[in-house]
Amino acid sequence: MDVVLLAGLWLDGGTAWDAVLPELESRGHRGVAVQLPGQGDGNSRATLDDQVAAAVAALDAAGGPVAVVGHSAACTLASLAADARPDKVTKVLLIGGFPSAEGELYADFFPVEDGVMAFPGWEPFAGPDSDDLDEATKQRVADEAVPVPEGVSRATVHYTDERRLDVPTVLICPEFTPAQAQEYIDSGDLPEMTKVKSLELVDLDSGHWPMFSRPAELAQVIADQLV
């Protein structure tokens, strides 16, 4: 199966999945790492609509059934892609994040300066998020981090097709446990998750960036959900 991979904030979508792609291939699947506008292509004026269009184009290019994987903030992007193509997407996999609700901002988490939201450094992610990354990896990720355009981070999320809620969804839980994720969902603060008709929670022993720290394990978890 084709697996469309959407990287989270500050990651170059064209390279962030490099260690995961061969692992997926060895398990019989073709990973498609999407180069998201504004995250690696030099377009600081890119918008969330541009990113959705890029994700949908990757879905349309798939020859048959396709799964879409979103990491962190791009869990919302994966949901928007499924919203645009509910008849094409067979499964939505969310890594370490939850889709925003209708009318919420996409990812307004840190200050925007000169039209972009820069990587804030590792201090905000100290603890379970980053404990499994060695210093060399942290330095590399920070050096390669791409400031996210304001047109992406502060865009308002809009869904258009309730059929997206019929697509089976898997929440991969890295820095939090499935039990913790269920508590978040039960709290009522994640309305998009409570409306999904088929939701499975899967554990992954890693931090927030398993594509760097546990690529083989991440690929195996993804592959296990595609059978």
Side-chain angles (χ1 to χ4, degrees):
M1 183 183 294
D2 282 359
V3 183
V4 170
L5 302 163
L6 308 174
L9 300 176
W10 308 297
L11 301 180
D12 183 331
T15 62
W17 304 97
D18 280 358
V20 178
L21 295 175
E23 297 289 348
L24 282 174
E25 183 177 2
S26 71
R27 291 162 174 80
H29 302 287
R30 186 176 80 96
V32 180
V34 179
Q35 180 67 72
L36 296 174
Q39 289 183 223
D41 65 350
N43 181 8
S44 63
R45 296 183 179 274
T47 67
L48 180 58
D49 286 344
D50 295 331
Q51 292 200 348
V52 172
V56 169
L59 295 177
D60 288 344
V66 59
V68 61
V69 177
H71 167 254
S72 192
C75 290
T76 300
L77 184 57
S79 294
L80 288 167
D83 180 73
R85 293 292 186 271
D87 293 329
K88 179 79 172 180
V89 176
T90 60
K91 187 159 286 189
V92 176
L93 297 98
L94 311 174
I95 304 171
F98 307 91
S100 298
E102 168 67 26
E104 291 183 345
L105 297 186
Y106 180 71
D108 188 24
F109 302 141
F110 297 97
V112 169
E113 296 183 8
D114 298 323
V116 296
M117 184 176 66
F119 179 63
W122 289 106
E123 185 175 352
F125 307 110
D129 280 356
S130 63
D131 280 348
D132 65 340
L133 297 176
D134 59 35
E135 290 305 315
T137 301
K138 286 183 178 181
Q139 188 62 55
R140 176 174 62 83
V141 173
D143 289 345
E144 296 175 357
V146 181
V148 179
E150 182 176 9
V152 175
S153 67
R154 290 185 173 174
T156 301
V157 172
H158 292 298
Y159 298 105
T160 62
D161 196 328
E162 292 290 298
R163 290 179 299 162
R164 73 186 180 281
L165 303 172
D166 296 327
V167 181
T169 299
V170 178
L171 175 61
I172 298 172
C173 306
E175 74 272 21
F176 50 82
T177 67
Q180 289 172 318
Q182 190 63 59
E183 289 180 5
Y184 304 153
I185 295 168
D186 292 343
S187 72
D189 292 334
L190 302 167
E192 190 66 15
M193 295 297 290
T194 61
K195 292 188 292 184
V196 171
K197 295 177 182 178
S198 174
L199 176 64
E200 183 174 356
L201 309 182
V202 178
D203 194 28
L204 175 63
D205 184 16
S206 78
H208 188 66
W209 290 271
M211 67 277 288
F212 302 131
S213 62
R214 301 285 189 276
E217 291 86 344
L218 175 59
Q220 187 62 57
V221 168
I222 292 172
D224 287 344
Q225 300 304 315
L226 303 181
V227 295

